[in-house]
Amino acid sequence: MTNEIIELLEQSEYGIIAINEPNIFLDVCLPAEGCASDVAIWYDDNKKCKAISIYKVDYQKEENTQNQVVARAKAVHHCFAIYNALGLNNNHAKDPFRSKKFIKFYENICDCSKTVYIVVEQ
């Protein structure tokens, strides 16, 4: 699965992918539920590595825990930082939750009714 994730990140336009599989990271030790991983270094079979952040956002769950809310906010802010770095924030929005253009950008990356993990390349 590591190879597939690295390939997906390389193919993604912004270095951000959404994953809808709840058990995909069973072989990865996340620090705590609802928190971003520290930068994880993943190697594929060809010794190619990627530094990534993994956010367990659990958008498919109906009940929201405090940890999920924190992880979702961290994922949104990390994606907003990338959005800004790419020069896409033409309206100079300061808050990602108040930017309609950013919300569309984020919704194009993940389905907020199904996504379990947001993976962001460092």
Side-chain angles (χ1 to χ4, degrees):
M1 195 69 224
T2 302
N3 289 347
E4 293 173 33
I5 291 170
I6 289 175
E7 286 176 25
L8 287 171
L9 280 169
E10 288 177 346
Q11 293 169 5
S12 73
E13 188 173 357
Y14 305 111
I16 305 167
I17 59 172
I19 298 177
N20 299 340
E21 291 291 324
N23 298 323
I24 201 163
F25 289 115
L26 288 178
D27 60 337
V28 176
C29 181
L30 297 177
E33 183 177 324
C35 297
S37 68
D38 290 331
V39 176
I41 308 295
W42 278 28
Y43 294 91
D44 68 8
D45 295 336
N46 299 318
K47 303 297 182 209
K48 185 187 297 183
C49 69
K50 288 284 179 197
I52 61 174
S53 289
I54 305 167
Y55 299 95
K56 188 170 183 186
V57 293
D58 274 331
Y59 284 125
Q60 85 290 1
K61 291 191 176 178
E62 290 183 22
E63 293 183 26
N64 297 321
T65 66
Q66 180 65 29
N67 287 339
Q68 288 168 322
V69 172
V70 169
R72 292 171 186 173
K74 286 182 178 182
V76 166
H77 283 281
H78 196 156
C79 292
F80 189 64
I82 291 169
Y83 177 80
N84 282 326
L86 293 170
L88 300 173
N89 190 359
N90 298 329
N91 295 335
H92 307 290
K94 304 281 186 234
D95 183 347
F97 298 102
R98 293 185 178 193
S99 171
K100 290 179 184 177
K101 284 182 72 177
F102 171 74
I103 295 298
K104 285 182 182 179
F105 170 86
Y106 190 75
E107 288 174 345
N108 282 334
I109 293 168
C110 75
D111 178 342
C112 291
S113 67
K114 296 179 185 173
T115 300
V116 180
Y117 296 99
I118 300 288
V119 180
V120 182
E121 185 176 0
Q122 296 294 311

